[in-house]
Amino acid sequence: MAQPNCSAASTGFTPINDLGKGVFTNAWNVTWQGGLYPNGSNYLPSAHKSAGIQMASQVQYLDAKGNQDAVTGKIVWLSIGMSNGTQETQQFIPIANALAQKNPKLTLVDGAQGGQTAGIITTSFNSNYLTFWNTVNTRLSNSGVTANQVQVIWVKEADVAGGAPIKNYYDSLVVRFKRITHEIKTRFPNVRLCYLSSRISARYATSTLNPEPYSYYTGWAIKKVIEDQINGDPQLAYSGPNAKSPWLSWGIYMWTDGSTPQITNPNIFWNCSTDFQNDGTHPSTTGAKKVGNLLLSFFSNDSTSASWFTGNLSTITAQTASANYITIYPLPAKDHITIQLAKEIKNGHLYFNDVFGRTIFKLEKLNGQQFNIEKTHLPCGIYFMQLSSGDKHYLTQKIIIE
């Protein structure tokens, strides 16, 4: 039986996030600047981040027809992609569902499917095109939800390389990623957010399916599409009457040179003997679980996802708002808000962020106590209240202060 090529030499490539403001000269002698986002940065530009947080604030509990229903409505997170995508989603979903802080009204659905490349799912005359999208709808139905309830998408896609010229592979993948956003916007009318992730390493691959350097260039194609949206490409408009795409950002950049960890994110590295199947291209169960945990960390903590992933979107309008770890009263407030933390909260941090992600007020190093917040510190408005301690996230709660 074939085994991954664990003796494969280094690719010589640097992860895009580790490049930062450095540059990479591609196979056709064009220089690209690193960084996941424009100007060599690994952080969302402020305007695009604010737009993403606004989109996140519009995520609501929806019924099967797409109408708001705070009682029985749901939020649907859906994966779209190929074999690696479904293998990793199948590990992510049980890990996420086991999280005590996960939003109980959030339904996670695996729409990714083996062998379904970017070319297949965006080419309507391809015989497998309708099969893919019909299977997505079937999986939604089997999960008790509809396309109208899908508001968040995770995309992990690639194409079969087969020895194609690198430039042709990259150029076609950029076009197909954009077409995927159009398919998503058309098929899921209430979609708000779309997160894209790169391939894991293919340094140890033993087939022509998607070896290096194609896997590496997949990340550059994603970077290009996200930058095009940030720079105002009308084909990627995400708001207004001519919207053709959801709002886009990186989900996780998962490529690194095999077992060599990223400098920027040392948790990302891929061991040949444990993280891959025999072809060196698909993740083993261990490798897929590693991705699942990375996804859990991302969606639990990112400023555009924590509110709907771990939070309860129900607006607090009762006199007392209570979670397992915190009690707030009275709401709506007139002069001040009283907050009571559970005794088990040690060295807690409480942040009140506005819909643009800006921290309006914060309290730190809290230890199971009661205290008041004056309205002079927290004016009327919508806030996302986040309670954490160290690496543990307890709660993200949307509140309205009148």
Side-chain angles (χ1 to χ4, degrees):
M1 183 179 293
Q3 296 292 324
N5 181 15
C6 293
S7 63
S10 168
T11 64
F13 301 136
T14 302
I16 297 173
N17 53 345
D18 288 347
L19 276 172
K21 294 185 179 296
V23 298
F24 167 68
T25 302
N26 62 33
W28 51 102
N29 292 318
V30 174
T31 298
W32 288 334
Q33 187 176 46
L36 299 179
Y37 297 103
N39 302 315
S41 174
N42 290 324
Y43 300 97
L44 279 166
S46 59
H48 198 64
K49 179 179 179 180
S50 295
I53 293 171
Q54 281 187 302
M55 285 292 182
S57 73
Q58 294 171 22
V59 173
Q60 299 291 333
Y61 301 127
L62 303 178
D63 65 17
K65 294 182 179 180
N67 300 313
Q68 289 189 28
D69 183 347
V71 178
T72 63
K74 296 179 179 179
I75 301 165
V76 175
W77 175 103
L78 174 69
S79 66
I80 294 293
M82 64 336 188
S83 52
N84 290 51
T86 186
Q87 290 162 346
E88 293 157 2
T89 302
Q90 287 172 18
Q91 295 299 324
F92 166 65
I93 289 177
I95 293 172
N97 284 337
L99 180 71
Q101 293 79 29
K102 173 182 165 289
N103 189 334
K105 294 184 179 182
L106 173 65
T107 299
L108 309 172
V109 180
D110 178 19
Q113 301 159 46
Q116 304 304 295
T117 63
I120 289 174
I121 72 173
T122 59
T123 307
S124 59
F125 55 79
N126 185 293
S127 60
N128 290 323
Y129 168 83
L130 285 179
T131 300
F132 175 85
W133 291 108
N134 286 340
T135 299
V136 171
N137 287 332
T138 298
R139 291 184 181 181
L140 289 169
S141 179
N142 289 343
S143 297
V145 293
T146 71
N148 292 320
Q149 293 169 297
V150 175
Q151 297 176 74
V152 184
I153 302 277
W154 179 59
V155 172
K156 183 168 185 180
E157 262 293 9
D159 270 326
V160 173
I166 299 299
K167 187 176 188 304
N168 291 359
Y169 176 85
Y170 167 83
D171 287 343
S172 65
L173 198 55
V174 169
V175 171
R176 287 167 176 170
F177 274 133
K178 291 184 179 182
R179 288 177 179 170
I180 289 172
T181 71
H182 299 166
E183 291 281 354
I184 288 170
K185 187 66 176 177
T186 299
R187 294 178 179 277
F188 310 108
N190 294 309
V191 68
R192 303 293 183 186
L193 306 158
C194 179
Y195 302 90
L196 297 94
S197 286
S198 60
R199 290 265 288 108
I200 61 176
S201 173
R203 172 176 168 179
Y204 311 115
T206 56
S207 77
T208 60
L209 183 62
N210 198 264
E212 297 300 350
Y214 302 96
S215 179
Y216 182 62
Y217 276 84
T218 300
W220 286 101
I222 293 172
K223 172 179 166 68
K224 168 66 173 171
V225 172
I226 295 173
E227 284 196 5
D228 282 353
Q229 183 178 76
I230 291 171
N231 292 330
D233 184 346
Q235 292 302 310
L236 294 170
Y238 58 86
S239 61
N242 297 317
K244 296 179 174 63
S245 165
W247 177 90
L248 304 176
S249 82
W250 281 96
I252 315 170
Y253 176 62
M254 293 189 283
W255 188 93
T256 192
D257 187 17
S259 60
T260 305
Q262 290 181 1
I263 296 172
T264 306
N265 188 349
N267 292 320
I268 297 181
F269 59 93
W270 307 102
N271 289 325
C272 179
S273 60
T274 60
D275 292 338
F276 294 93
Q277 295 184 23
N278 290 332
D279 62 2
T281 300
H282 293 92
S284 65
T285 299
T286 300
K289 283 183 177 178
K290 183 180 287 187
V291 173
N293 281 305
L294 290 169
L295 288 172
L296 180 66
S297 177
F298 174 81
F299 286 113
S300 297
N301 294 288
D302 189 76
S303 61
T304 67
S305 60
S307 60
W308 51 263
F309 190 84
T310 60
N312 180 346
L313 297 188
S314 300
T315 300
I316 302 176
T317 55
Q319 287 297 107
T320 300
S322 180
N324 290 333
Y325 303 103
I326 189 169
T327 301
I328 308 174
Y329 61 91
L331 287 176
K334 292 184 178 180
D335 301 313
H336 68 273
I337 301 170
T338 298
I339 293 181
Q340 176 69 60
L341 288 182
K343 293 181 179 179
E344 59 262 42
I345 301 296
K346 303 297 181 184
N347 294 315
H349 304 280
L350 188 64
Y351 293 85
F352 290 85
N353 300 327
D354 66 12
V355 296
F356 297 102
R358 297 173 298 198
T359 299
I360 303 302
F361 187 72
K362 64 182 179 180
L363 293 164
E364 299 180 300
K365 298 182 178 180
L366 306 173
N367 292 292
Q369 63 197 62
Q370 179 174 305
F371 47 88
N372 294 331
I373 299 177
E374 302 298 326
K375 286 195 69 178
T376 53
H377 296 301
L378 204 61
C380 299
I382 299 173
Y383 300 93
F384 291 99
M385 181 186 68
Q386 296 181 334
L387 175 63
S388 61
S389 175
D391 294 333
K392 185 172 183 180
H393 179 86
Y394 288 98
L395 175 74
T396 298
Q397 175 71 59
K398 178 181 177 181
I399 65 172
I400 294 178
I401 298 178
E402 298 177 350

